[in-house]
Amino acid sequence: VGVATAHRPFQPATPLGVALGLEAGLEFTLIKVPETLFEELEKMGLEGSFEVPTLPIPRLQLHKGLGPKLDVGLSYVGYQKYRLYGADVKLVVYHPEEGPAFALRLSYTQSKLDYVYTTSWSPQVVMSKELHFATPYMGLEYQVISGKIEGSQEVLPGISVPIKFDGIHSTGGSAFLGLGLRVPALGFKISVEGAYSFVGAHSLGAKLGLAW
């Protein structure tokens, strides 16, 4: 769950180089939920009680440039029993006039999916090449995840027992590839990104927004 709900900035290594350095948009991401998740929940006696949305829920994103080398971002979505909070900080370490740029980024995510709670930290290395209307980028990330499960299971009609698993820790990683397209005169921007997860939670998403 921590891998699947991770905050995804949809940002290249190059800094926000438009007038105000401000970008706002909606993210839509499809995620392949690993079968091992449901297998483990069944072992815990929670079979049939955990549902994952099959349609991507839009997540609000806001990014701001704080100079020629530093960008920060926030994201949020709330839907019924689902709450996702995210943030990221990016430091541009190499940005030549010509050639690829490199950046280090740290992302943070806190999620609540029904009775599953996770917190994750994701250090990333990002490389991109800024073109006139498009910026292709790629990167690697490593996730450190902690979580807990707090719920209940019905054992008899009208009788439930509490179930709690705490101190759960895991790690994961992924490689991602993306492309940002911008129409300078209108400020409209679209970004698409796909990620290959080393634990099976592959994703494909897009972000639609405005950049100033």
Side-chain angles (χ1 to χ4, degrees), residues 6-137:
H7 169 77
R8 295 171 174 82
F10 284 77
Q11 291 286 336
T14 48
L16 289 172
V18 288
L20 294 179
L22 180 65
E23 183 178 309
L26 282 176
E27 169 207 339
F28 303 83
T29 302
L30 284 170
I31 300 167
K32 180 184 181 298
V33 180
E35 290 298 326
T36 52
L37 168 64
F38 303 103
E39 293 172 1
E40 292 301 319
L41 289 175
E42 289 178 3
K43 293 178 184 178
M44 296 175 180
L46 297 170
E47 65 272 14
S49 59
F50 185 80
E51 297 181 0
V52 177
T54 56
L55 295 176
I57 299 174
R59 190 185 311 199
L60 290 169
Q61 285 205 18
L62 180 67
H63 281 84
K64 179 71 175 71
L66 300 180
K69 294 184 178 296
L70 187 66
D71 292 350
V72 296
L74 298 171
S75 69
Y76 170 78
V77 63
Y79 175 75
Q80 296 182 358
K81 297 181 180 180
Y82 302 89
R83 293 289 185 274
L84 304 178
Y85 305 89
D88 68 271
V89 178
K90 181 182 73 181
L91 176 65
V92 181
V93 295
Y94 184 66
H95 186 205
E97 293 184 3
E98 296 185 5
F102 293 86
L104 301 176
R105 184 163 61 204
L106 179 64
S107 294
Y108 168 81
T109 310
Q110 187 177 81
S111 72
K112 176 185 182 297
L113 274 68
D114 204 343
Y115 51 79
V116 180
Y117 301 79
T118 67
T119 300
S120 65
W121 295 90
S122 305
Q124 303 171 355
V125 177
V126 190
M127 178 184 73
S128 66
K129 178 66 172 72
E130 191 170 15
L131 305 176
H132 187 53
F133 290 108
T135 306
Y137 63 92

Side-chain angles (χ1 to χ4, degrees), residues 8 65 67 78 141 180 204:
R8 295 171 174 82
E141 76 169 346
L204 179 63

